[in-house]
């Protein structure tokens, strides 16, 4: 019986750990989505500004100062985009790692569930065996009287 209580406690601990990791995975997925939306926003700003720049440059209505400011903007936003891609990739790797941890936690919990089931079945079997031995003892003792 002590074995059952120990396994049950361990099972609860494993279940709590699995739930903690699930929460971490959800938070990491939210961070990945947030970083992806930031990246998409930067890329959209870049493409919109590039389209506007190309249109004005094609018309020939831009002076050298405007062209320089646009090139400065493009170089800054390119840097921000590459930085944001690195941040997004980092959070993506973190999410994958947490998902792997979640799979491992689920496997561990399943192992302890199986152990708990086996221990319960063994206790029931031992109890039935004990009851059978007791019934056999009473039956034998009645015959002897």
């Amino acid at each position: 019986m002590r074995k059952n209580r120990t396994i049950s406690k361990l099972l609860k601990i494993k279940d709590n750990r699995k739930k903690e990791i699930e929460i971490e995975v959800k938070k990491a997925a939210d961070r990945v989505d947030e970083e992806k939306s930031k990246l998409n926003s930067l890329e959209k700003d870049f493409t919109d500004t590039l389209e506007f720049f190309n249109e004005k440059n094609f018309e020939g209505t831009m002076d050298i100062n405007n062209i320089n400011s646009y090139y400065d903007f493009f170089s800054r936003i390119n840097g921000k985009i590459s930085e944001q891609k690195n941040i997004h990739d980092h959070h993506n790797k973190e999410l994958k790692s947490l998902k792997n941890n979640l799979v491992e936690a689920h496997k561990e919990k399943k192992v302890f569930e199986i152990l708990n089931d086996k221990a319960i079945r063994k206790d029931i079997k031992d109890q039935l065996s004990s009851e059978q031995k007791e019934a056999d003892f009473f039956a034998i003792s009645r015959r002897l009287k």
Side-chain angles (χ1 to χ4, degrees):
M1 203 59 165
R2 295 181 100 184
K3 186 177 182 181
N4 287 352
R5 278 187 263 149
T6 304
I7 292 174
S8 294
K9 287 178 184 179
L10 287 172
L11 183 60
K12 286 180 184 177
I13 290 170
K14 295 295 181 182
D15 188 44
N16 289 339
R17 179 66 184 140
K18 187 182 117 204
K19 288 177 183 176
E20 289 173 4
I21 294 174
E22 285 174 347
I23 292 169
E24 290 175 14
V25 166
K26 185 177 178 347
K27 287 179 183 178
D30 291 343
R31 278 193 306 266
V32 166
D33 291 342
E34 181 182 320
E35 297 301 330
K36 183 66 174 174
S37 68
K38 286 180 184 178
L39 178 61
N40 289 339
S41 174
L42 285 172
E43 288 175 341
K44 184 179 180 330
D45 287 346
F46 179 83
T47 56
D48 291 346
T49 307
L50 183 62
E51 287 174 8
F52 181 77
F53 172 77
N54 286 336
E55 182 180 306
K56 292 296 180 183
N57 195 26
F58 182 71
E59 292 174 2
T61 59
M62 295 183 71
D63 62 358
I64 191 71
N65 291 332
N66 284 341
I67 292 174
N68 282 338
S69 66
Y70 275 105
Y71 280 125
D72 289 342
F73 172 78
F74 291 138
S75 65
R76 272 195 323 270
I77 202 163
N78 270 335
K80 287 181 182 179
I81 287 172
S82 66
E83 182 181 321
Q84 191 62 36
K85 282 181 181 179
N86 290 337
I87 291 170
H88 180 259
D89 290 343
H90 171 73
H91 286 295
N92 232 353
K93 288 177 185 174
E94 186 179 297
L95 176 62
K96 287 179 184 177
S97 172
L98 286 172
K99 283 183 178 181
N100 288 338
N101 289 345
L102 179 60
V103 168
E104 290 301 316
H106 181 72
K107 286 179 183 177
E108 288 176 6
K109 181 184 175 220
K110 194 67 177 171
V111 165
F112 278 95
E113 285 175 346
I114 292 168
L115 284 174
N116 191 34
D117 290 344
K118 284 182 180 179
I120 289 171
R121 278 188 256 129
K122 184 180 182 304
D123 282 350
I124 291 171
K125 182 180 175 184
D126 290 347
Q127 184 180 0
L128 291 174
S129 175
S130 174
E131 289 173 359
Q132 184 63 44
K133 285 179 184 178
E134 188 176 321
D136 290 347
F137 173 75
F138 287 133
I140 291 172
S141 64
R142 283 186 196 151
R143 286 185 196 161
L144 295 176
K145 287 183 183 181

